[in-house]
Structures are given as C-alpha cells and as structure tokens.
Amino acid sequence: MSARIYQIQKNAMQSGKALTHKWVLEFAQAEAKTPDPLTGWAGSGDTQSQVKLTFATQDAAIAYADKYGIAYTLIPTPPKTLKIQAYADNFR
C-alpha cells in the first residue's frame, strides 16, 4: 500500500487561494480499472484509491503515514511565480 503526499494547487479557473494551504495523502491504485459489462463504466474492487485524507501541514501528513506504516512519496510544491503587469502594458 503506497500513497502520495502533495499540497492542493489551485486550478487555472481560480483566482482565489482557498484550500491551497492543505496537504493531501492519497492512496495509489492497487489494481487497474475494468469496464462493467452492463453499464460500460470503469470500476475496480480497490476501495483504497477512493480515500483522500487532508491535513493542515506537511509534517502532520508524514507523521500519519509513518504511524500507520504507509509507504509514501512526497511531491514538493512548485514555487509560486507572479507575473506582475499593469493594464497599460497591453497597449505598448
């Protein structure tokens, strides 16, 4: 059972920074998804892949994984870059 720990990033459609300070522990898929013969929807018997745990800090997520013996991969947060420009720069 392995997991990955990462910080939530805002998507391109968001301007605010709500919930981007939280850290997530998400389990990896143990088996591949297969199509259901009746509906055609993809599914599997792996219920661990549905679990997403949120933590206030990176250290709390790592402590949880260590406490329960979960192998994890820490995905570092990319640096935030700001492109500061004025509206008048569009007309130069």
Side-chain angles (χ1 to χ4, degrees), residues 1-3 5 25 27 48 51 53 55 59-72:
M1 172 169 54
S2 65
I5 298 174
L25 185 140
F27 291 98
Q48 287 280 340
V51 177
L53 302 173
F55 298 92
D59 295 332
I62 291 173
Y64 180 86
D66 289 339
K67 179 179 178 182
Y68 291 102
I70 301 169
Y72 63 88

Side-chain angles (χ1 to χ4, degrees), residues 11-43:
N11 64 29
M13 302 304 290
Q14 288 178 317
S15 60
K17 296 180 182 172
L19 303 177
T20 58
H21 60 279
K22 295 191 177 200
W23 287 82
V24 176
L25 185 140
E26 182 178 57
F27 291 98
Q29 282 187 332
E31 63 182 62
K33 292 185 176 183
T34 56
D36 183 27
L38 183 61
T39 61
W41 293 359

